[in-house]
Amino acid sequence: MDTNLPISKKFKLPDKLPDRTKFRPGIRRAPSRGYNLNSRETKLALKNALRYVPEKLHSELAPEFLEELKSRGRIYGYRYRPVDGNIIGKPVDQYKGILPARALQVNIDNNLDFDVALYPYELVTYGETGQVCQNWMQYRLIKKYLEEIKEDQTLVVSSGHPLGIFPSSEQAPLVISTNGLMVGKWDNQENFDKLAALGCSNYGQMTAGGWMYIGPQGIVHGTYITILNAGRKYLGIPEDKDLEGVYYVTSGLGGMSGAQAKAVEIAGGVGVIAEVDYSRIKTRYEQGWLGKVSDDLAEIAQWMEESKQEGEAVSIGYHGNIVDLLEYIDQNDIEVELLSDQTSCHAAYAGGYTPVGVSFEEGREILKKDPKKYRKLVDQSLRRHFKVLKSLTDKGGYFWDYGNKFMASVFDAGVKEIAKNKKNTDRGFIWPSYVEDIMGPICFDRGFGPFRWVCLSRKDEDLQKTDKLAMENIDPSRSSLHRDNHHWIATAEDNQLVVGTKARILYADEEGRIKIALKFNELVRKGEIGPILLGRDHHDTGGTDSPFRETANIYDGSRTTADMSVQCFGGNIARGMTLVVLSNGGGVGISNASNGGNAILLDGSERADKVVKKGLSWDVMGGVARRSWARNENARKVAAEWNKNNQEGHITLPYLTDEAFLDELIRNNQ
């Protein structure tokens, strides 16, 4: 066998070994993912990592990689991290390559910023395990390809691995990426964990592996809408009022969950958020996203009462376990109206949920030394967590699952009572998903979702101009959602939402997204602002199939299918978006979701206008069409209106059935 095949000099790592990485004190590090490989698998993992580097370096690198594998459970290739210090999304003109490739490099680096990423040294952006790519060798190669790629080529990325650049056309995506996709029989957490340890698969979450994470701001708007409308739905608060004097108690101040503190303040309520990792509390407090901090439950209760009496909008961080907080509230009969949870329960046994009774640090140590004991403690804690939530909801509080696999994890911990049928999850759970009651009917069925843009110049004035233009294109009189969105964007700068590069999120429907995007592109064309990269969270109308979350309000029996997300992915490729991504498991864990994302470069060109019109229309309305076919009322209305206004397209609409007639028919024929 010829082991000396010619290798392109253009796309390979250097022959010289980089200096060792120096880890900066105070930067969070990912826990060990567990070393469970046998000798054959260990050899395979090393071979898989070493194939990125020249053979002459293997004798020195192999022991390093083995140590990483045994101590961290993964090979990250720390030595290939390009700098000892921080990586930031720099202004786009400071990168090499064509503009769309430089734009994507901005986002990749922003996802790894110390102020943005959860575990930056392990390439984890958020959600405990969501990675930009698997290791630093991949990061360097991706950068090399993006520095050299041409307009008529496409870079294919497979779970973080740059497979190569291939001839395509100027109308094709610049990058097509997938993360964690697995063949059905093997599509489960155990197999994925093995593949990740071998260096064969990557958990992209929803926007980490999709390179479109913009810090916790990316979820603040959706969280604000959710909390505000929970008050309206469950408490009868009028649509023109906020949550003044209302308690919201939850957990999590990490990447996505960190949005809760800021969101509850914007919504006007009193929020108490438990967090076991003090570094995350410190980060949110220093960013101005968290109002008060204490580890004293009596002090927390006093602040809650004072804020309620004064009508003060405030977020309070409790340094401690959510179960302890809830049990204190229950024992002292504090009337809490709204309850939720945003621990990373999709990775409950991998450190995403710290069990009650141990500190964060103690939990990490147990996880490293005795994963079976950790799992047992997590299950015990989840059962206790359920018990106190059940007590609080029996007293009149309202709990909803925040799409973090919390209720499914409680069920897996042995609490069958959380299932509606007390046997399995086929009919869902006793408490609603936030998508079922709020985001689904209010937003997703109507095409409203997390539209995002990144000002690639990194200039404040560009962001201010885009905020102003977006606000001018929202009519707050059209509906309560339009009014909420107008308030959001009008106060965005005052709320200091930016963490990392200059970006914004705004929930918008098909019409709004297209209108705003075209206006942005016009400003770029006139030279009034620098180029813009459009994108969205994958948590949207048509991008994600997820029975416990995004498609939780699909009731025609099809919510466990994944056609929609794959069609969305394929359709976005066909319409020439700059980046198109499809991933397994975002937000709720491997095999529990299929989700896709995208990005569109606004460079002022006519081509960008065409991609915006056709791409954004499909990206939104494909999802509305599926929801309409499921007989969702708001989606049927939007689809019917779209049919009336669009001569070039048409959505199939369902006929409705007389349910009483069917009930009688079945009853009489049993």
Side-chain angles (χ1 to χ4, degrees):
M1 178 179 176
D2 184 2
T3 60
N4 295 302
L5 295 174
I7 297 175
S8 167
K9 293 182 179 179
K10 186 181 292 186
F11 300 114
K12 70 169 189 174
L13 297 181
D15 293 333
K16 183 180 178 182
L17 203 59
D19 293 334
R20 286 178 179 270
T21 296
K22 297 177 183 177
F23 299 104
R24 184 177 292 185
I27 302 301
R28 283 184 297 269
R29 301 292 305 281
S32 170
R33 304 303 185 188
Y35 173 60
N36 300 307
L37 304 182
N38 60 33
S39 58
R40 182 190 65 83
E41 293 164 340
T42 298
K43 180 180 177 181
L44 187 56
L46 290 171
K47 287 173 63 178
N48 287 347
L50 289 168
R51 60 186 163 180
Y52 286 103
V53 298
E55 290 91 336
K56 61 186 271 187
L57 305 177
H58 288 190
S59 61
E60 187 169 353
L61 276 176
E64 288 185 25
F65 286 175
L66 180 59
E67 171 57 27
E68 289 179 18
L69 185 61
K70 295 177 75 171
S71 64
R72 317 297 301 189
R74 301 285 186 273
I75 296 173
Y76 295 112
Y78 291 121
R79 187 184 286 261
Y80 283 90
R81 190 174 187 274
V83 295
D84 287 328
N86 197 10
I87 294 173
I88 67 167
K90 298 173 292 192
V92 70
D93 57 7
Q94 293 185 24
Y95 292 89
K96 297 177 182 177
I98 58 175
L99 180 56
R102 285 187 276 129
L104 296 179
Q105 291 181 67
V106 172
N107 270 29
I108 291 171
D109 285 351
N110 186 60
N111 276 220
L112 296 168
D113 189 327
F114 284 161
D115 289 334
V116 173
L118 178 60
Y119 304 129
Y121 286 114
E122 287 76 38
L123 300 111
V124 174
T125 303
Y126 72 97
E128 192 59 38
T129 54
Q131 293 180 263
V132 170
C133 50
Q134 297 178 64
N135 58 58
W136 290 104
M137 293 84 76
Q138 291 178 346
Y139 168 89
R140 287 203 179 206
L141 276 179
I142 289 169
K143 282 298 196 75
K144 282 181 176 289
Y145 276 116
L146 290 175
E147 288 173 356
E148 298 287 342
I149 196 169
K150 302 295 187 292
E151 286 87 349
D152 59 354
Q153 296 175 321
T154 294
L155 170 62
V156 178
V157 180
S158 178
S159 271
H161 168 63
L163 195 66
I165 50 176
F166 298 87
S168 53
S169 79
E170 293 184 4
Q171 309 308 313
L174 192 76
V175 175
I176 296 175
S177 175
T178 57
N179 289 284
L181 304 187
M182 299 167 69
V183 176
K185 181 179 179 180
W186 294 271
D187 191 5
N188 58 60
Q189 190 67 50
E190 183 180 356
N191 283 321
F192 172 79
D193 289 343
K194 179 66 66 68
L195 290 171
L198 291 173
C200 296
S201 197
N202 182 58
Y203 193 71
Q205 252 287 354
M206 303 194 86
T207 49
W211 307 341
M212 199 62 213
Y213 187 65
I214 60 170
Q217 178 194 178
I219 200 66
V220 174
H221 193 185
T223 308
Y224 156 68
I225 291 172
T226 300
I227 297 171
L228 192 59
N229 283 287
R232 292 168 179 167
K233 180 177 180 63
Y234 302 135
L235 308 178
I237 294 173
E239 289 188 347
D240 60 345
K241 301 294 182 183
D242 64 13
L243 299 185
E244 181 179 334
V246 173
Y247 292 144
Y248 172 61
V249 176
T250 183
S251 64
L253 283 169
M256 302 301 267
S257 58
Q260 296 181 107
K262 177 64 74 173
V264 76
E265 289 185 352
I266 298 173
V270 178
V272 185
I273 307 99
E275 172 59 66
V276 292
D277 180 359
Y278 188 74
S279 73
R280 304 184 200 196
I281 291 177
K282 185 172 181 288
T283 296
R284 298 295 166 234
Y285 185 73
E286 290 177 348
Q287 288 171 346
W289 281 47
L290 185 62
K292 297 180 179 181
V293 177
S294 177
D295 60 2
D296 185 327
L297 288 167
E299 185 173 41
I300 296 283
Q302 182 181 343
W303 286 345
M304 290 172 67
E305 177 63 24
E306 290 172 353
S307 298
K308 189 181 187 76
Q309 294 299 324
E310 295 171 7
E312 176 189 19
V314 65
S315 58
I316 301 167
Y318 167 58
H319 181 212
N321 196 287
I322 180 61
V323 178
D324 288 326
L325 172 62
L326 292 172
E327 288 179 344
Y328 182 90
I329 288 170
D330 188 32
Q331 291 161 8
N332 288 275
D333 292 320
I334 300 171
E335 295 182 11
V336 172
E337 296 92 340
L338 302 176
L339 298 148
S340 192
D341 183 84
Q342 275 204 35
T343 51
S344 293
C345 272
H346 70 278
Y349 304 123
Y353 181 96
T354 297
V356 66
V358 300
S359 69
F360 175 73
E361 292 75 18
E362 289 168 341
R364 286 295 196 258
E365 194 65 23
I366 296 170
L367 177 61
K368 181 179 180 181
K369 294 182 177 179
D370 194 347
K372 289 184 179 178
K373 178 181 178 181
Y374 189 84
R375 188 184 188 98
K376 182 179 179 181
L377 290 174
V378 166
D379 284 346
Q380 290 173 349
S381 185
L382 285 168
R383 292 194 288 269
R384 191 166 147 188
H385 199 156
F386 169 79
K387 182 179 178 181
V388 67
L389 282 173
K390 187 69 168 59
S391 176
L392 290 170
T393 53
D394 287 346
K395 289 179 179 180
Y398 289 89
F399 176 86
W400 69 88
D401 184 289
Y402 223 125
N404 59 338
K405 206 187 172 187
F406 173 76
M407 290 194 292
S409 297
V410 170
F411 181 86
D412 292 342
V415 183
K416 305 306 180 186
E417 183 185 349
I418 200 169
K420 277 185 180 178
N421 63 11
K422 314 301 181 190
K423 296 184 296 184
N424 55 47
T425 62
D426 291 352
R427 292 184 55 205
F429 303 99
I430 62 172
W431 295 312
S433 156
Y434 75 117
V435 172
E436 284 182 284
D437 269 13
I438 301 167
M439 295 300 286
I442 292 174
C443 291
F444 296 160
D445 287 357
R446 296 165 62 194
F448 282 85
F451 180 56
R452 296 177 176 180
W453 62 92
V454 177
C455 296
L456 297 168
S457 67
R458 205 179 170 102
K459 292 180 179 178
D460 286 321
E461 53 265 37
D462 280 10
L463 186 58
Q464 291 163 3
K465 288 177 182 177
T466 56
D467 281 349
K468 183 175 183 295
L469 188 149
M471 183 172 60
E472 291 171 351
N473 282 275
I474 300 172
D475 180 0
S477 67
R478 288 184 62 180
S479 71
S480 62
L481 185 54
H482 285 88
R483 184 168 61 252
D484 295 340
N485 289 344
H486 189 274
H487 172 71
W488 161 265
I489 199 69
T491 60
E493 187 172 0
D494 293 339
N495 285 319
Q496 299 178 326
L497 297 164
V498 173
V499 178
T501 197
K502 307 301 178 184
R504 188 69 75 219
I505 183 171
L506 172 67
Y507 267 64
D509 60 1
E510 181 225 20
E511 178 187 2
R513 296 187 212 199
I514 293 173
K515 183 191 298 185
I516 293 170
L518 292 175
K519 294 283 188 180
F520 284 174
N521 201 41
E522 185 179 350
L523 289 185
V524 176
R525 187 158 45 241
K526 292 178 178 178
E528 295 183 25
I529 59 173
I532 298 278
L533 193 67
L534 295 181
R536 59 164 170 78
D537 192 344
H538 304 190
H539 170 63
D540 197 10
T541 299
T544 296
D545 290 296
S546 180
F548 295 145
R549 199 157 96 165
E550 284 77 9
T551 45
N553 71 318
I554 299 292
Y555 301 113
D556 68 348
S558 71
R559 68 178 182 174
T560 56
T561 64
D563 298 297
M564 180 177 70
S565 57
V566 177
Q567 290 167 348
C568 184
F569 171 71
N572 287 340
I573 291 173
R575 288 161 180 81
M577 292 187 174
T578 308
L579 165 70
V580 186
V581 185
L582 185 68
S583 301
N584 178 2
V588 288
I590 284 295
S591 78
N592 288 286
S594 172
N595 68 86
N598 61 66
I600 303 172
L601 175 69
L602 300 184
D603 58 1
S605 66
E606 290 185 10
R607 178 184 182 276
D609 282 344
K610 292 178 181 178
V611 174
V612 162
K613 291 175 184 176
K614 293 186 177 181
L616 289 184
S617 181
W618 157 251
D619 192 55
V620 175
M621 294 309 298
V624 172
R626 188 268 177 97
R627 293 168 182 278
S628 169
W629 190 242
R631 296 183 289 270
N632 292 13
E633 182 180 359
N634 285 338
R636 287 192 299 112
K637 291 177 181 177
V638 172
E641 186 68 19
W642 191 84
N643 281 350
K644 187 169 70 174
N645 297 330
N646 286 268
Q647 300 303 313
E648 296 181 357
H650 189 273
I651 293 171
T652 306
L653 300 177
Y655 292 103
L656 301 185
T657 314
D658 184 334
E659 292 198 33
F661 161 73
L662 291 180
D663 290 339
E664 183 178 0
L665 176 66
I666 294 168
R667 187 168 52 251
N668 292 338
N669 286 274
Q670 283 184 328

